[in-house]
Amino acid sequence: MKPEPFVRVSGIASPMPEDNIDTDIIFPARFLLLTTREGLGEHAFADRRRHRDGSEVAGYVLNRAPFAAPRFIVAGDNFGSGSSREQAVWALLDLGVRVVIAGSFGEIFHNNCLRNGILPIRVEGPQRQRLMALAEAEATFVADLPTQTLTVAGADPIAFAIDAERKEAMLHGWDETDQVVARFADDIAAFEAAQARLQPWLYPVGVPA
Amino acid sequence: MNTPRTLYAKLWDAHVVRALPDGEALLYIDRHLVHEVSSPQAFAALREAGRVLRRPETHLAVADHAVPTRAAAPGADPADGPRPCDDPLARGQIAELEANAAQFAMPYAGLDGPEQGIVHVIGPETGLTLPGTTIVCGDSHTTTHGAFGALAFGIGASEQATVMATQCLRQKRARTMRVTLTGALPPGVSAKDVALAFVARVGSDGATGHAVEFAGPAVTAMSMAARMTLCNMAIEAGSRVGLVAPDETTFAFVRGRRMAPAEAELDRAVAYWRTLASDADAVFDREVTLDLSALVPHVSWGTSPGQTLPVGGSLPDPACLGDVDRASPAAAREAARALAYMGLAAGAPIAGTPITHAFIGSCTNGRIEDLREAAAVLAGRHVDPGVRAIVVPGSAATRLAAEAEGLDEIFLSAGFEWRLPGCSMCVAMNDDRLEPGDRCASTSNRNFEGRQGPGGRTHLMSPAMVAAAAVTGRIVDARGLLP
Ligand code: SF4
C-alpha cells in the first residue's frame, strides 16, 4: 500500500495540550475488531468526542468547527504511546491529519507514521507552547519536507530532523516492502546463508532457495 | 582491540543485513508472532501486492485478543464448539486469521488446541522464543521475550507485511539504559512491584528511545516468569526493548520446548548464547539502580502506568504539585484529570479504596507462577460479595498445569471464575470488560482511560495484591494476608 507523497503540507492545527495521549485514546480497542484500514476516522478519539449515548462532547477540540478535520495536531509529550495499533495512524490519516507536532512520541507510533505518510515533528518547551497558542488562534501551519522547516506566522521558523532515507521515502511515497525487495534481495540471501551456517537451529527447514 | 559491547549491541550487530545512514539498519527478523487483531491489514497488503511469506515456518499465529474466555454452557449446541463466540465481529476476525494462516501456509495454534494462549505466553512455551534471536509481533508487549536475551519489539501492521515478505525491517539503533537491581525482594513483593516501581521512577516516557537491560544480582535470582513480567512492562516506560542476559535459568527453561534446538545442537546453541551477556566494561548511555531490599507492593492510581504509588502512599494533590521540583503545571493538570477520571479524592490514602472487579491474567501476570502467588493468598478465603473476580490463565498449557496442581479448585472455592486462555479483561475487545464506573484490581499492564472498558477504572498491581483486594473488597497490602 503506497503512502501519499509528502512534500509540503499546510493547514489548521488542532491543539491538544495534554501529555500521554496514548493509542487507546486515539483509537479505542473495541474498534480494532474492524479489519479494514479505510474509513477509521469516525472512530478517532471516539471516547473524547462522544458521550456514551453517542451525543457530542461540547467543546472538545475535534468538535469545534475549524479543528474538526485538521491537517496538523499539536500535542504534549509522549503522543501515541502504548499499543502498537496502526489503526491510530490510519484513523488520523482518514481525518486528514498529515503532521503531528509533539514533545515526544511513542516509538512504534512514530514508525507507523513514517510508513503512512504522516510527518511526526518533535518540538519541546516554550517553542511548543507558542505553537499551541497559535494553533488555538487558528494560524496556518506549513510543513516543508525538502527544507525540513515548519513555518507558522507569528513564530520563528523551526527546523526539524528526519533520517535521510525516511525523508526520501516520504517525498516519493515509496512502499517500504517494495524498497527492501528491490534494494536488498541479495543482501538478505547472503545473510541467511551465513546465519544458517552459524546457527543452524534457526533453520529447521533450511535456507530459502 | 575489541570494543566492549552491550547485550543489545551484540544482538543488533548479529542481525544487520545492511547498515544504512543515520544509525538505521536493515535488520534480519528471525521469528514473528501473529495475532488476529493486528494482522488482517498486513495479510491484505501481501495479497494486494501478490507477495508470499519468505519463510512461513518462522511465524506462529494465534487468536488471543478477541476470543471469548467462557466455555460453552452445559447443554449448549455442540456445533458452536467448546468456546462459542457471540460477537460476529470477533468471530469474523478469528475466522479471518485462520483463513489467512491457511492461505499463506503460516503455522497456526488453533483456538481449541494445546498451544493456544496469549502470544507472549505461548512464544516462550513453544520454544519459538530463543536467546540471541530477533522477534517481532504486531503488539507492543513483545518486549516480554527480551527476558530470554532476544531482541524483541512491537511493530505496526505495515511493518508486519514487510517482515512476512522479506524477513527484514528497517530499524533505528536505540540508546541503551541499564537498570541494575540490587538487594533481595522481600516476601510478598514480586516482579510486578519492581516493574511498577521502575515505571514510576523513570516515568511513562522515561525510557523512550532506549533499549533497557535489567541486570544485577536480583535479576539473576529471578525465575523466567519474573523476568518476563519485568521486560513486559518496559514498554510502559516508553522502551520498545527490555532485555535480560541469558543464563542457566534461561537455558533450563528453553530445554525440551517444541521449537527449541535439542541435543548436540542445543549444546552448540548454548555455547553461543553464553557469549551474549554485556561485556563487563560495556558502556550504557544511562544507568539506573533500584534497591529491592526495601521495596513494598505498588499500586497504580491514575491513567498512565507511571502514576503509581507504594500501597501505603497517598494520592497526589494537584494543588500542591506545582511546588514539587520535577512537576510542572502540565503534571498538575494531568494529575487532576486522572483523579477525576478515576473518581478519587486528592490527598487520600490509596489503601482502602473499594473495588468492584478483580482480574488475574494477561501477558504480564498470566503464568503458572503468578497463579500460585495469587492462590497462596486465596487459600481458605472467599471473594468479597461486592467483587466480581475472574482468573484467566495465559495459555492452554498454563491452564492445564494449574489444574494438575489443584490451583483451579483454590480459585473456584474462593469464588473466582476459572476461565479459558486469552487476553480477556486486559483489553476489553472481547466479552470481558468493565462498565462505566467499575473499579478493577488488575494484574494487567495498562491503566489507560477505557482500557478495560469505556469508563472503567484500573488499578495495576501484583497477583498477590489482586487476590488480597478481591477478598477484602478494597485495595490493601497483601503482605498482611500472607501466611
Ligand atoms: S494480555 Fe493484554 S497486553 Fe498482553 S497481549 Fe493481550 S491485550 Fe496485549
Side-chain angles (χ1 to χ4, degrees):
Chain A
M1 186 83 158
K2 293 196 197 327
E4 197 166 311
F6 190 116
V7 181
R8 186 184 173 90
V9 166
S10 63
I12 292 279
S14 282
M16 298 188 179
E18 195 185 331
D19 293 339
N20 300 317
I21 296 183
D22 56 66
T23 53
D24 274 76
I25 295 177
I26 302 171
F27 196 83
R30 61 187 183 281
F31 303 113
L32 295 176
L33 291 172
L34 305 168
T35 57
T36 60
R37 39 186 288 171
E38 286 79 36
L40 301 182
E42 67 173 293
H43 306 302
F45 298 93
D47 295 333
R48 293 290 173 88
R49 278 155 93 186
R50 286 182 290 275
H51 294 291
R52 289 280 288 164
D53 63 9
S55 61
E56 278 197 356
V57 175
Y60 180 63
V61 63
L62 293 179
N63 292 336
R64 287 158 58 197
F67 301 125
R71 301 294 269 172
F72 292 66
I73 285 175
V74 187
D77 291 339
N78 208 21
F79 188 89
S81 54
S83 154
S84 64
R85 62 192 66 163
E86 198 161 322
Q87 284 86 347
V89 170
W90 298 327
L92 292 180
L93 263 186
D94 194 46
L95 279 185
V97 173
R98 296 300 302 278
V99 182
V100 182
I101 299 164
S104 58
F105 293 93
E107 288 178 55
I108 306 173
F109 176 84
H110 189 271
N111 283 352
N112 288 341
C113 280
L114 294 172
R115 298 270 317 224
N116 287 280
I118 290 188
L119 181 63
I121 299 181
R122 237 183 111 156
V123 181
E124 292 176 284
Q127 244 181 349
R128 194 190 50 229
Q129 278 167 24
R130 179 83 194 120
L131 294 181
M132 196 71 77
L134 289 167
E136 193 60 62
E138 300 175 33
T140 298
F141 283 53
V142 183
D144 188 66
L145 186 54
T147 60
Q148 297 181 215
T149 314
L150 174 67
T151 319
V152 190
D156 294 334
I158 296 172
F160 58 84
I162 180 169
D163 293 335
E165 292 204 350
R166 301 275 192 175
K167 174 177 173 179
E168 211 50 28
M170 277 193 85
L171 284 170
H172 295 94
W174 284 333
D175 173 80
E176 175 73 3
T177 308
D178 291 348
Q179 285 292 303
V180 172
V181 172
R183 292 173 61 193
F184 304 116
D186 293 346
D187 295 309
I188 297 170
F191 179 94
E192 284 171 337
Q195 193 191 41
R197 266 196 315 279
L198 290 168
Q199 300 178 55
W201 59 88
L202 297 179
Y203 289 80
V205 299
V207 188
Chain B
M1 60 168 264
N2 285 337
T3 323
R5 289 186 301 163
T6 62
L7 165 59
Y8 175 73
K10 292 179 188 186
L11 293 170
W12 176 275
D13 293 347
H15 289 90
V16 172
V17 172
R18 176 79 85 86
L20 301 170
D22 294 328
E24 288 197 314
L26 190 71
L27 273 197
Y28 195 77
I29 304 302
D30 296 316
R31 298 289 183 261
H32 178 211
L33 286 157
V34 176
H35 67 69
E36 78 279 27
V37 172
S38 58
S39 66
Q41 296 85 350
F43 284 110
L46 288 186
R47 255 192 302 270
E48 266 168 44
R51 299 192 187 283
V52 296
L53 300 193
R54 181 176 176 85
R55 292 177 62 198
E57 78 282 5
T58 64
H59 311 257
L60 177 60
V62 69
D64 55 3
H65 283 62
V67 303
T69 61
R70 227 186 283 270
D77 184 349
D80 293 338
R83 197 198 284 233
C85 182
D86 297 333
D87 181 346
L89 281 179
R91 207 165 50 223
Q93 204 163 52
I94 297 164
E96 188 165 336
L97 179 66
E98 282 177 20
N100 281 330
Q103 184 192 341
F104 289 91
M106 181 183 281
Y108 172 65
L111 185 55
D112 304 312
E115 289 190 347
Q116 191 268 339
I118 303 170
V119 269
H120 309 309
V121 178
I122 70 161
E125 281 178 353
T126 55
L128 175 136
T129 304
L130 294 176
T133 56
T134 42
I135 303 173
V136 296
C137 176
D139 194 283
S140 60
H141 291 99
T142 309
T143 50
T144 312
H145 310 267
F148 290 79
L151 178 51
F153 50 90
I155 59 176
S158 299
E159 292 181 310
Q160 283 183 260
T162 301
V163 169
M164 293 197 252
T166 71
Q167 294 288 140
C168 287
L169 212 49
R170 173 195 296 274
Q171 288 295 304
K172 180 142 180 146
R173 190 166 171 149
R175 292 185 291 279
T176 53
M177 176 192 291
R178 176 162 56 190
V179 180
T180 304
L181 303 182
T182 61
L185 266 184
V189 185
S190 67
K192 181 61 161 290
D193 300 303
V194 181
L196 287 170
F198 165 66
V199 177
R201 163 87 167 268
V202 304
S204 298
D205 62 350
T208 302
H210 290 78
V212 174
E213 179 177 345
F214 296 98
V219 177
T220 310
M222 280 181 182
S223 68
M224 287 315 298
R227 294 177 190 184
M228 284 189 254
T229 301
L230 207 50
C231 289
N232 177 274
M233 290 198 62
I235 184 72
E236 307 315 331
S239 169
R240 220 152 51 105
V241 173
L243 286 168
V244 173
D247 62 9
E248 298 308 320
T249 305
T250 323
F251 310 146
F253 184 102
V254 166
R255 192 180 307 268
R257 305 274 164 186
R258 177 170 71 76
M259 282 185 261
E263 299 175 11
E265 208 162 53
L266 177 63
D267 296 340
R268 194 173 159 194
V270 167
Y272 169 60
W273 296 341
R274 280 189 211 286
T275 67
L276 294 172
S278 291
D279 296 325
D281 32 11
V283 178
F284 291 78
D285 298 305
R286 249 182 98 186
E287 298 266 9
V288 173
T289 303
L290 281 179
D291 176 16
L292 305 190
S293 55
L295 192 72
V296 300
H298 275 58
V299 182
S300 75
W301 61 266
T303 53
S304 153
Q307 291 173 323
T308 286
L309 282 171
V311 64
S314 295
L315 295 161
D317 185 346
C320 311
L321 265 184
D323 308 337
V324 186
D325 45 0
R326 177 167 168 260
S328 58
R333 248 194 342 261
E334 297 306 315
R337 181 182 176 100
L339 285 172
Y341 180 85
M342 294 296 291
L344 295 169
I350 185 77
T353 308
I355 61 156
T356 59
H357 288 71
F359 169 61
I360 296 173
S362 87
C363 59
T364 314
N365 283 129
R367 300 185 179 80
I368 187 76
E369 289 84 348
D370 304 309
L371 304 188
R372 287 182 193 135
E373 181 187 314
V377 172
L378 293 175
R381 295 198 169 92
H382 202 276
V383 170
D384 184 90
V387 175
R388 171 107 193 255
I390 68 173
V391 52
V392 188
S395 67
T398 304
R399 188 175 140 102
L400 265 186
E403 288 175 349
E405 288 179 24
L407 298 182
D408 56 327
E409 306 218 337
I410 297 180
F411 282 110
L412 284 165
S413 54
F416 268 79
E417 296 171 41
W418 179 244
R419 297 290 189 86
L420 299 174
C423 295
S424 181
M425 207 182 269
C426 174
V427 70
M429 288 193 58
N430 44 65
D431 308 331
D432 309 329
R433 62 179 69 174
L434 301 179
E435 293 298 320
D438 287 347
R439 186 181 300 280
C440 184
S442 177
T443 66
S444 54
N445 44 47
R446 288 199 170 130
N447 52 347
F448 297 162
E449 281 176 32
R451 172 75 182 189
Q452 295 191 289
R457 295 158 172 167
T458 304
H459 293 279
L460 305 173
M461 57 189 93
S462 71
M465 286 286 289
V466 172
V471 298
T472 58
R474 51 199 64 238
I475 295 173
V476 65
D477 189 337
R479 292 175 300 176
L481 280 73
L482 284 169

Coordinates of all heavy atoms in Angstrom, one line a residue, chain B residues 65 118-120 139 141 362-363 423 426-427 445 451, ligand 1:
Chain B
H65 N -6.7 -11.9 21.5 CA -7.3 -10.7 22.0 C -8.8 -10.7 22.0 O -9.4 -10.2 22.9 CB -6.8 -9.5 21.1 CG -5.4 -9.1 21.4 ND1 -4.3 -9.9 21.2 CD2 -4.9 -7.9 21.8 CE1 -3.2 -9.2 21.5 NE2 -3.6 -7.9 21.9
I118 N -2.1 -16.4 25.0 CA -1.6 -15.1 24.7 C -0.3 -15.2 24.0 O 0.6 -15.9 24.4 CB -1.5 -14.2 26.0 CG1 -2.8 -14.2 26.7 CG2 -1.0 -12.8 25.6 CD1 -2.7 -13.6 28.1
V119 N -0.1 -14.5 22.9 CA 1.1 -14.5 22.1 C 2.4 -14.6 22.9 O 3.3 -15.3 22.7 CB 1.3 -13.4 21.0 CG1 0.7 -13.7 19.7 CG2 0.8 -12.1 21.6
H120 N 2.4 -13.7 23.9 CA 3.6 -13.5 24.7 C 3.8 -14.6 25.7 O 4.8 -14.7 26.4 CB 3.7 -12.1 25.3 CG 3.5 -11.1 24.3 ND1 4.2 -11.0 23.1 CD2 2.6 -10.1 24.3 CE1 3.7 -10.0 22.4 NE2 2.7 -9.4 23.1
D139 N 2.4 -6.0 18.3 CA 1.9 -5.9 19.7 C 3.0 -5.3 20.5 O 4.1 -5.8 20.5 CB 1.5 -7.3 20.2 CG 0.7 -7.2 21.5 OD1 1.3 -6.9 22.5 OD2 -0.5 -7.3 21.4
H141 N 3.7 -5.3 23.6 CA 4.3 -6.1 24.8 C 5.2 -7.2 24.3 O 5.6 -8.1 25.1 CB 3.2 -6.6 25.7 CG 2.5 -5.4 26.4 ND1 1.3 -4.9 26.0 CD2 3.0 -4.7 27.5 CE1 1.1 -3.9 26.8 NE2 2.0 -3.7 27.7
S362 N -3.4 -12.0 31.8 CA -2.7 -11.2 30.9 C -1.2 -11.7 30.7 O -0.7 -12.5 31.4 CB -2.6 -9.7 31.3 OG -1.5 -9.4 32.2
C363 N -0.6 -11.1 29.6 CA 0.8 -11.5 29.3 C 1.8 -11.0 30.4 O 2.9 -11.4 30.4 CB 1.2 -11.0 28.0 SG 1.1 -9.2 27.8
C423 N -6.6 -12.8 26.2 CA -6.3 -11.5 26.8 C -7.3 -11.0 27.7 O -7.1 -10.2 28.6 CB -6.1 -10.5 25.7 SG -4.6 -10.9 24.6
C426 N -7.9 -7.6 30.0 CA -6.7 -6.7 29.8 C -7.0 -5.7 28.8 O -6.5 -4.5 28.9 CB -5.5 -7.5 29.4 SG -4.1 -6.4 29.0
V427 N -7.9 -6.0 27.8 CA -8.0 -5.1 26.7 C -9.4 -4.8 26.2 O -9.6 -3.9 25.4 CB -7.2 -5.8 25.5 CG1 -7.9 -7.0 25.0 CG2 -6.9 -4.8 24.4
N445 N -1.3 -4.6 32.5 CA -0.1 -3.7 32.4 C -0.5 -2.3 32.0 O 0.3 -1.4 32.0 CB 0.8 -4.2 31.3 CG 0.1 -4.7 30.1 OD1 -0.8 -4.0 29.6 ND2 0.4 -5.9 29.7
R451 N -9.3 1.4 29.0 CA -8.5 0.2 28.6 C -9.3 -1.0 28.9 O -9.3 -2.0 28.1 CB -7.2 0.2 29.3 CG -6.4 -1.1 29.1 CD -5.8 -1.1 27.8 NE -5.0 -2.4 27.6 CZ -4.3 -2.7 26.5 NH1 -4.1 -1.8 25.6 NH2 -3.7 -3.8 26.4
Ligands
SF4_1 S1 -2.7 -9.7 27.5 FE1 -3.1 -7.5 27.2 S2 -1.2 -6.6 26.9 FE2 -0.9 -8.8 26.7 S3 -1.0 -9.1 24.5 FE3 -3.1 -9.4 25.4 S4 -4.1 -7.4 25.2 FE4 -1.9 -7.1 24.9

